[in-house]
Amino acid sequence: DGKDGLIHGLSTLELESLSDKCHEAKTTAYCPYSLFRVGASLLIHPSSPSSTSSPPLIITGANVENASYPVGTCAERVAMGNAVIQGHRLGAFKAIGVTTDLEDYCSPCGMCRQFLREFCEDTVPVFMFSKTGEYKVKTMGELLPMSFGPEKLPSREEMERKGEGRKE
Amino acid sequence: DGKDGLIHGLSTLELESLSDKCHEAKTTAYCPYSLFRVGASLLIHPSSPSSTSSPPLIITGANVENASYPVGTCAERVAMGNAVIQGHRLGAFKAIGVTTDLEDYCSPCGMCRQFLREFCEDTVPVFMFSKTGEYKVKTMGELLPMSFGPEKLPSREEMERKGEGRKE
Amino acid sequence: DGKDGLIHGLSTLELESLSDKCHEAKTTAYCPYSLFRVGASLLIHPSSPSSTSSPPLIITGANVENASYPVGTCAERVAMGNAVIQGHRLGAFKAIGVTTDLEDYCSPCGMCRQFLREFCEDTVPVFMFSKTGEYKVKTMGELLPMSFGPEKLPSREEMERKGEGRKE
Amino acid sequence: DGKDGLIHGLSTLELESLSDKCHEAKTTAYCPYSLFRVGASLLIHPSSPSSTSSPPLIITGANVENASYPVGTCAERVAMGNAVIQGHRLGAFKAIGVTTDLEDYCSPCGMCRQFLREFCEDTVPVFMFSKTGEYKVKTMGELLPMSFGPEKLPSREEMERKGEGRKE
Ligand SMILES: [Zn+2]
Ligand SMILES: [Zn+2]
Ligand SMILES: [Zn+2]
Ligand SMILES: [Zn+2]
């Protein structure tokens, strides 16, 4: 990494933006139950050759909790939901950032890994930023190996032909 | 309703915007599993005296599904997550809109009612728009009566004093 | 109620069992994050004419939390999941019980109302027991009016013919 | 593996039971939406020295879907919820089994990996059985590396002292 001036494929500017934006997003969290703020950021692939003058496109999220804990949602899913309704799909995501108030890095929960995986290739890097901006980075494939995804589900036709799920 | 020219507190312009925006949002849904598109819209209270010249502020969402069905999310929660990270909290929401591809109106699922309820008073109207724009309207309090919410949870101090939850 | 010696269709023995079992279930909760213990109980319709000598069949659950709050689950859903894999489906449930450590009654969250609704008719009574055994009772239809359910979803064939959900 | 007659720590009898039970559980699934049946099984550590005469204790689950897809739950979480309310906690689980109607093995979704991880050490083996009984096996640590868990959350006191989560 870095020989080409890139860090896991990101320019210095992109990486800085990814970090800044997820730290900013963290301050918008609604977490009166856990008191644990999380921010997430998604770097969108420039659809046209990027120019150093145009800022990287980044979409963010933060955790939104609920009095019924299972009903709340995580920063990563708020960010990705936001990106999807803006039209971004598989192939659109160049990198993911996540941060908390911990000194140490913090990884996405398994539910978020699954949600992100629907739209991110195994090679997409996930930057886990500490409170002070250092990071650890792993790819989606490293964080959710042998993942369950769309290609595992048989076609509807095959399912109905077998008909086993209908037995209830 | 309507004597003051308002429909459940909304001006004609606000109601039209609420409807238009949730129909637009519906087209951004990612739902390859259910094929059931849903759009949601949230009308934000103007923080200053509203003027007929400024358009109503509306935040939207659509459903985002996952190969692991329980991991996906609904239109209403995408919209509300988006609103919360933009800083909107309890008191900010004037009305909710939801629509699908059904001829008939369709109500939010119970999970979404619970998610919305954290940020909406019982009096907030929920407009359920049919595909062709007619609507049925119910308040949050009507859709989730005797709801479970933040005020039901004892203070942390009281919980810890009793300590029953720790017995495991 | 009560003229026939029944309370919302339940015998005194059934109601006592429903209450006892959900209070017992509560003690099995895993809730280190909220410290808020919840117990749930489901009274199964006797498939054959009930006899006072055979005890009512009741299936229970308690909340099981997770460090990632949205991943945890509620008492009512643990109980119903348990019942479903034992073969019980729509028509099998005669009453639902729920209790917490609150002096006051506590209602199921919206997500649980939605989960229960898949298998319970609108007329099924939900007994919300206070810590000391008093209760408030509402039917499923009262707790989740205008509910979203299976009959709202168009047939697969109709969905695919329209094909709108595929546009992404 | 196998030198001691054990497969990832399991006796032949234990492995056969784990497989049989999750295949049986699969037949109890309620999955009218996905038609994708899943069965899960949890092998409980014998609390006393095991004897070949007593059968292995196995707790099972199957997926239970909902018309609102995100409200449904997976086989693995039904099984683990069931185990937890029976009193089993971290340290109690010797192995996990999962199977579907696919010819190929199928892995747990990310949400289930997160739910299981709360109660399973990194070393617990997860057996993914094909329809015909072959398996692939991975440990919990391999399926959810760098996982987010209870030890990541700061103490309540530390959270409140910093107070950042309260700013909303
Ligand atoms: Zn998460
Ligand atoms: Zn919903
Ligand atoms: Zn609940
Ligand atoms: Zn799962």
Side-chain angles (χ1 to χ4, degrees), chain C residues 28 30 33 66-67 89 114 118, chain D residues 28 30 33 66-67 114 118:
Chain C
T28 67
Y30 172 80
Y33 308 110
N66 192 275
R89 296 290 191 272
Q114 181 71 41
E118 188 93 9
Chain D
T28 68
Y30 172 80
Y33 308 109
N66 191 275
Q114 181 71 41
E118 188 92 9

Side-chain angles (χ1 to χ4, degrees), chain D residues 73-168:
Chain D
T73 186
C74 299
E76 297 92 326
R77 285 179 285 141
V78 170
M80 183 55 87
N82 206 341
V84 169
I85 64 166
Q86 290 181 40
H88 303 292
R89 297 288 191 274
L90 187 66
F93 301 95
K94 190 168 176 180
I96 297 165
V98 58
T99 194
T100 70
D101 287 317
L102 298 177
E103 306 293 327
D104 201 6
Y105 76 89
C106 188
S107 66
C109 82
M111 188 179 187
C112 287
R113 296 181 195 191
Q114 181 71 41
F115 193 84
L116 294 171
R117 179 250 186 264
E118 188 92 9
F119 306 104
C120 293
E121 297 90 347
D122 271 2
T123 52
V124 173
V126 180
F127 289 86
M128 296 165 272
F129 297 103
S130 75
K131 194 177 173 175
T132 50
E134 284 119 63
Y135 63 82
K136 225 172 216 186
V137 61
K138 293 282 172 188
T139 64
M140 279 299 301
E142 286 171 326
L143 288 180
L144 197 64
M146 295 185 69
S147 66
F148 176 78
E151 69 289 344
K152 278 282 181 182
L153 289 172
S155 74
R156 195 78 195 178
E157 292 68 31
E158 195 180 339
M159 293 299 249
E160 286 177 341
R161 188 165 39 73
K162 291 200 282 184
E164 285 149 334
R166 290 238 186 261
K167 284 181 206 148
E168 91 274 332

